[in-house]
Amino acid sequence: MNARDLIEGEAELDDESADESFDEVTGEVRRKTNGTNGHLDDSSEEESEDDEEEARKVREGFIVEDEEEPEERARRKRERKKRRREEREEEEAGLDEEDLDLIGEANPDFERRAPSEPKLKRLKRGHKEEREERQPRGVGDIFDSDEEDDPSRIYEDRRQSQRPVPRVLEDEFADFIEEDYSEDEGREREDDDAEVARTVRRGLVGAKDTVGLDEAALEDLKEAFGDGLEYDWALELQDQEDQEDRRGDLEDPEGLSKGIELKDVFEPSQLAEKMLTDEDNQIRAIDEPERFQIARKPYRHLILTDEQFKEESIWIAKLMLPKKRFEPEFEEPFQKSVAKVLEFMITDEYEVPFIFQHRKDYLIHAVKEPITPDPWNPNASTERVRAEKLLIQSELWDILDLDLKFRALIDKRNALEQTYKSLTGLGDFKDDVFEEMLPTAVTIEELQDVQDYLHFQHSSRLADLVLLNGPSTNGSQRRPGASKVLFEKIRNSKVYGLVRAFGTTADAFAQNALNTEGRRQYTEDPTERPDDMADSESIMDPPDYSSGAQCLRAAKAMFAEEITLSPKMRKVTRQQYYKDGAIECFRTDKGLRKIDEQHPYYEFKYLRNQRLSEIARQPGLFLRMLRAEEEGLVEVRIRLQNHDKFKKSLYDYLESDNFSEVADAWNRERRDALDMALLKLDKIMARGVKENMKNECENQVAKTCREEFLKKLDQAPYKPKGMILGTIPRVLALSNGTGTFGREAICWAWVEEDGRVLENGKFLDLTIGDLERNTDDGADVEAFVELVKRRRPDVIGVSGFSAETRKLYKQIEELVTAKDLHGADYEDEEGRDTSDRLEVVIVNDEVARLYQTSDRANIEHPGFAPLTKYCVALAKYLQNPMKEYASLGRDIVSIAFDPNQGYVPQEKILKQLETAMVDMVNLCGVDINDAVNDMYTANLLPYVCGLGPRKASQLLKAINLNGGLVATRAELVGDADQHKLPAVGPRVWNNCASFIFIEFDSSEQDSDYLDNTRVHPEDYDLGRKMAADALELDEEDIQAEQQENGPGAIVRKLIKDDAQEKVNDLILEEYAEQLEKNFNQRKRATLETIRAELQQPYEELRRNFALLSTDEIFTMFTGETRDSLCEGMIVPVSIKRVADDNVEVKLDCGVEGTVPGMDISERMDVSAKQLFSPHQTVQAFIKSLNRKHLSAMLSLLERDLRNPFRKQFDRMGDEWDDRQEKKDREMMQEKNDVSGRTQRVIKHPLFHSFNAAQAEEFLGSQSRGDVVIRPSSKGLDHLAVTWKVSDNIYQHIDVLELDKETEFSVGRVLKIGGRFNYSDLDELIVNHVKAMARKVDEIMLHEKYQNGSKTDTERWLTTYTEANPKRSVYAFCINPKYPGYFYLCFKAGQHAQLQNWPVKVIPGAYELQKVQYQDMRALCNGFKLLFTNMQREKRR
C-alpha cells in the first residue's frame, strides 16, 4: 500500500513540475523546454533578447501581458511581425505555404504571414467537435492571438464532393469559416488550394531541396534520415481506413449504424434507473401491455396447452371460491367467468381496467326469477332479473397474480416431467408413486415434495443422467447431499432386505393415512423377530454393517426417511397442520429484559395456542412476532395441537393387526421409525407453514394498504360552491410549519386552477382586534383581506407540522367570519349571481411533506422557501389529490397506509399501490393533449391501461414528433396519409384507447364526440346507432348525414340539437338481446355506459373531496394514534406555567394539558410552586383527552402514577401463559432488589425515571444526539446518561457523582470514565455528550463514510479494488455492537487482506490506536501515516 494512495491533501505534482530545474547560483527555477510544447532553439535568433526575457517572465507569471497599455502592445506586436516577415522572406524563400505552416505549428513564436485577401468572413456551422469548449492553453500558446485568423488554414473546398478526396493533412478548422471571394478570385483560390492539397509523392522527404547534391551525399542523407518508404505499409492502411470512413459517412451521414450507444457511455445502473437498457427498449417495441411483459418475463418460454388452460381456470376458481361464499347455483357461472377473464388476459392480452370497463357483462351473472303477476296490470312482466356480481375489480388483479403462480407451477411440473422422461430414457425405469402424485400436485409445496422424493429414490440414476447429459438448467436436478449418499448405500446393500421386512411400504402406509375411508392396505409381519433377522447373514453386510444392532438402526433410519420423503405422507401432515396447527411465542433471555409492559411486543410475549385461523385474521400481529424473532427477542414456534392423538392414529395405519410376540416386536420397531419420521416432518411442516403464513399475512397487509390508498385516490377535487363535481378550485394555502403560533411567520401561496403559482408571501400577525379591549387588528390583517378580495379563492387550505397549526386554523376561520370574506361568484338555481362565505379546511399534508424538500420542488420553484413549497403542494392536493399521489412515484411507500406496512417488503406494497392507481386513473381517464403539455398530467400516463413508464414516454415522444397535438384516438396507431408516426401498437392501443380522451371541438370537422367519452372505438358503431335511434332517423337520413359530415355526424347532430336526454327513452334490453343473439356479444353493461357518456362525457365518478376526520387531524398534528396515546397512560410532560390552582403543561407531541389544583399533590400544606417549576419535566397521568381541541386533563397525584398503564387484550384463558409472566416478573423484581436501585427524582428537564430499555424506546423517535438522564443501577452515587448515537444505537454512560450534599442530590463533581470531570449536568451534556454527537455527525457526513453494516462496507471495498486493482481504499462505518465506536475498514490493493481498526469517539476528538485526532482530516492522515510506518516496520 502506497502512502500516496491514502494521504489526503497531498500536493499533487502536475506535468510542469517535471520540466523545472533549480539554478544553484541564482536560486531561480528554470523550465526545461522540448520540441513539442516548449520553444525551439532557433539559430536565426528571430527575436531580440528583450523579447525573450519578456516572454520568459510572462510564462513564469511575473508579468501579465494583458495589463500593458493597448497602444504599446499593438506597437510592439507590429514591430515583431514586421521583423519576422522580413527575415523569413530572405531565409525561406524556397518554402511553400504548407511548409511554413508546419514550421509555425512546431514553433509557437513563429507568426504566419498576413493574408492579402479580404478580411470579411462569414461564419458557418461547424462540426460538433469544433464547437466543443477549447482546451486550456499552455505556456507555449500564451502568445497565440485570438484576434487574427490564419487564412492559410481556413478555406472551403467547394469541389471536393465532386472528385476523389486525396489523403491530405486535414485542417481542424476546415469548413468552419466561409470566405467571401469574387467568382474569379474564388476559382483561382480553389486551384491554389487543390495544388497545396495535392497528394505528395512518397519518397525522400524534401526531395526538391536535394538538387545539386552528388550521389554520395544522397546516400549519406538516406542513411541518416531514411528514404521515406519505411512506413508505407502504415500509410496505405491509413488510406484504406480513411476511404472506408468517407464511404460510411456518405451511406450513414448521421453515424447511426456505428454511433456510440448509451451503454458505451453510461453505467448499467444509470441506464436501468432511466429505463434505457436494451431490455427496456425491447419492452417499448413489443406490442403487448407493459405490465404484462414485466410480470410474465420469467415465463416467456412457457406456452400453456388447451388442457392446462382449462386446468388453470378450475385451479383459480377453487382457490377463490371459499372467500366468495356463493350459493351453490353460482359456483359454475363463477368458474366460467374466471375462465373468460383468463381468456381475455392471456389470449386477447387485455389488462384489468379494460376487462372491468368493456367486458363487465362477463363478470355479472343474471338470473331470471318468477314473480307474482300483478292482477291490476295484465301486461306486467312475470319475471324479474337478479344480477349477481361474480367478480369485482380487485379480484381481477388477484386472477392476474394467480395466473403467474399457476405458470410457475406448470413450469416446475414441466421440468420434473422432463427429468422423469430423461430417466426413463436410460433404460427400464418406472415409478408409480411419481406418476400418480405429479398430476395431482396443485401447489409448489406439493411439487417440491415430488421432487424431493424423486431425488431420494433415484439419486444414482440422476447422477448417471448428469454425467450423460451434463448438469440441468431447469432447477429439477441438484447435487446429492451426504445423507442421500448414505441412504443410497443402504438401498444397494443387503440391509435393505430388513427395510422390506417392515411389512409395508412408506407409500402404502401414507395411502392408508390419506384415504381413511377407502380401501386399506394391511401390514404383514415376517416370521422372525427384527433382532433375529438383523443378525442373520442375509442382512448383515460387512464391513459397513457387521452387527445386527447396526443393521437394525440403519433399516429403521431408512424406513423413517422413506416415510419423511413420501409425497402422500407430507400431504397428510401438511393438511393436519393447517387444520390443527397453533402458533406460540416464547421470550428469549434478551426479550425478558427488553420487552416490558410498555413495549409494543408485550402483547405476544407470553402468547400461546393461537390457531392459524385466528392469526390469519390478525396479519399484523404475526408479522410483528416474526420481526421480534429476527431481533432475537422471542422465538415463534408452530406446533400441532393434539399431536399425540394424530401420532396414535398413524400408529394404527402402520401397525399390523396380528397378535403375537413377533408382531409386537415389529410394531415397536415400526413405531420407532414413525417417531423418527415425525420429528423430521414436524420441522419441515413448521418451517413451511410459517413461511406460507408470513407470505399470506404480507399479502393481506399489502391489500389493506391498497384499499386505504384507493380511498385516498377516490376523491374528486375540492368542489367550489355552485360548481359541478370535478371543477378545479382556486386555492389559497397557509401554514406556520413547526413554528410557535403567534411568533413564527405564516407562509402562504396562491395557486390558480391551472396549477400556476401566481403569488406567495408571508404574514406575521393576523390577530383580530377587539373593540372592547381597544386593540387593533394585527399588522397583516389588512393585507390578508386585500389578498382574499382581490384573488377571490374558492377555498382556503391550512396545515402544518405541529399542534400549533390548529390555532392558525381557528384564527383564519375567525378572520373570515369577522371580515365576512366570500369566495368567487356563481349562479344559483334562479340564475342570479351569488357567493358564499369562504370555507377554511385542514388539508392532508402527507404529500406536501414529501414534496417540500424534493428535487422536483427545487426544479419547479427554485426560489421558494421550503414552507412555501409545502403550501403549494397543499393547494395542489385540494385541486387534484390523484395527480399529487401519482407525482410521488416510488416515494409513495413513504406514506403510512397501515400500521403494519413496515413489516412488508416494499416491492409488495408498491405492487398493490400501483394496482390502486391504475384502477383510479382509468376510471377518470387522461386528456392526452394535456399530458403532452403538463408534467403533472403526464405522470398519470404510466398507469393507463396497456401502458407503463416506458410506453408512456414513447407515446409522448411520438406525439411530439407528430406535431404535439392529437386530433383523434385513431391517429395514435399512425396515419400514413397524414404522415403520423405510430405512437403505440394495435394491441396496446386497443387497451388504452378508451382511457385516453380528446376534448371535443365542434368547430373541427375531424373532431369526434365519442373520442371524448369512455366508449371504446370498438363500440363507436353502437353509440352512433343509439344516437340515430334517439333522433329517430331512418337509414337514408343516416347515410346522407354521414356522407356529408363523416361517420361521427349523427352523434355530432345529437349534441348540436341538445337532444342527449332522448337516449334515456331507448330500451337497451332489446339492443343487448339482439347483439347476443346475432353477434354472440354480451353488451348490456356497455350499452348503459354509452347512454351515460352520450349525456355527460367522462363524468366525474369519484366521491366528493374527503375532509379529514378528528382522529386523522389529531394524528397528523401530533403523530399519535389511539393506540399510542389514550386515557390512563403515564407520559412525560413539560411544565409551562405554575399557578396556585393549576399547572399548565405540554406533552411531547404538542398537546397542551392542564392539571387542576386537586390533582397536583396529595399534600394540602404545600403549594404547587414549591413542588414544581417551569421547564421541569415530570410524569403525568392522562385523565381525559380531547382529540378535537388537542388538549388534555392530567394528574400528578402519586396514587395515579403508581398504576402503570396496561393495554387490555381480548384473549381466551389458554392463550396467555400467566404462570410464566408471573415467574418472570418475580425474577426481575429480585434482580432489582439485589441491585438496590432506589427511585430518584432530579429536577432537570432531561431526567426520566427510565431503565435502559425505556430510555432507548423513548429516544427511538428522537434525533441523533438527544439525551436522557436516568437513575443508575449501581447505586445512589451514580447516574446513567443514555444518548442516541444513531438509529437503534444508544450509548449508556455511567456517571460517578462525587461531593454530594445529600444522598439524593446531584454531586458537585461528575466523573466519566476516570478521565472527564464536570461540575453539573448541563456542562456534562454540552461538553461531553453534545461534543461526541458533533463528532458522530462529522464522521457520518464525511465522504469516506459508508451507510450500512461492516459486511456491506467490506463488500464495497472489495468491489472498488477489483475495479481499481492498484488502488488502496478505506472507509468508515458504524459499529452497532459497541455504541460510540466506528470501524475504519481498509484494503491495500486488490489482493490485500481486508482489515479494520476501531475508532473511538470521545468529546471533541477521535481516538485511533491510542492517538487522538481533532477532526476527520487529521484522523484520515493520521491513519495513513500509522499504516505507512507499520508497513515500513514489516519490510525491515
Side-chain angles (χ1 to χ4, degrees), residues 1341-1389:
L1341 294 173
H1342 194 262
E1343 62 180 1
K1344 293 291 185 181
Y1345 181 79
Q1346 289 286 322
N1347 286 315
S1349 64
K1350 176 170 170 280
T1351 304
D1352 296 332
T1353 303
E1354 291 178 341
R1355 188 183 301 116
W1356 180 85
L1357 294 177
T1358 303
T1359 304
Y1360 183 90
T1361 52
E1362 287 175 353
N1364 304 273
K1366 296 183 180 180
R1367 297 290 300 274
S1368 300
V1369 63
Y1370 66 99
F1372 299 90
C1373 64
I1374 200 164
N1375 185 339
K1377 189 175 181 181
Y1378 298 100
Y1381 281 82
F1382 288 80
Y1383 291 113
L1384 197 170
C1385 304
F1386 56 94
K1387 198 170 190 291

Side-chain angles (χ1 to χ4, degrees), residues 624-660:
R624 289 195 297 275
M625 291 163 64
L626 295 180
R627 178 62 59 87
E629 186 176 42
E630 290 177 9
E631 296 172 7
L633 302 177
V634 300
E635 181 184 351
V636 180
R637 300 177 190 171
I638 296 180
R639 69 175 183 85
L640 186 61
Q641 292 179 325
N642 303 318
H643 188 275
D644 292 338
K645 182 180 178 181
F646 174 64
K647 183 163 65 172
K648 188 176 182 303
S649 68
L650 293 179
Y651 285 164
D652 295 338
Y653 297 127
L654 181 62
E655 295 175 350
S656 71
D657 296 334
N658 299 326
F659 295 95
S660 67

Side-chain angles (χ1 to χ4, degrees), residues 882-935:
M882 185 174 68
K883 284 187 177 181
E884 290 304 295
Y885 285 118
S887 66
L888 291 178
R890 292 182 64 88
D891 291 339
I892 191 67
V893 293
S894 301
I895 294 175
F897 300 101
D898 185 272
N900 302 300
Q901 75 182 67
Y903 305 116
V904 182
Q906 278 195 4
E907 289 303 319
K908 281 191 176 181
I909 299 290
L910 275 171
K911 181 181 177 182
Q912 290 293 333
L913 297 183
E914 182 186 16
T915 63
M917 181 65 78
V918 169
D919 287 349
M920 198 52 59
V921 167
N922 288 281
L923 176 71
C924 301
V926 178
D927 187 329
I928 188 62
N929 289 314
D930 280 354
V932 174
N933 301 309
D934 176 41
M935 180 187 67

Side-chain angles (χ1 to χ4, degrees), residues 336-348:
K336 290 181 178 179
S337 180
V338 169
K340 200 65 181 177
V341 169
L342 285 172
E343 181 185 338
F344 293 145
M345 288 180 176
I346 299 172
T347 306
D348 300 329

Side-chain angles (χ1 to χ4, degrees), residues 354 357-359 361 969 989-990 994 1010 1013-1026 1051 1075 1081-1083 1085-1087 1089-1090 1094:
F354 181 94
Q357 179 67 30
H358 303 298
R359 299 294 184 267
D361 294 88
R969 284 171 171 168
W989 179 85
N990 210 25
S994 63
L1010 293 177
T1013 67
R1014 291 183 173 91
V1015 181
H1016 194 276
E1018 70 178 9
D1019 297 321
Y1020 277 9
D1021 289 340
L1022 290 177
R1024 291 161 184 164
K1025 178 71 168 63
M1026 290 172 63
V1051 178
L1075 287 171
Q1081 294 180 355
R1082 298 168 65 176
K1083 293 284 187 179
T1086 301
L1087 293 173
T1089 300
I1090 296 172
L1094 286 174

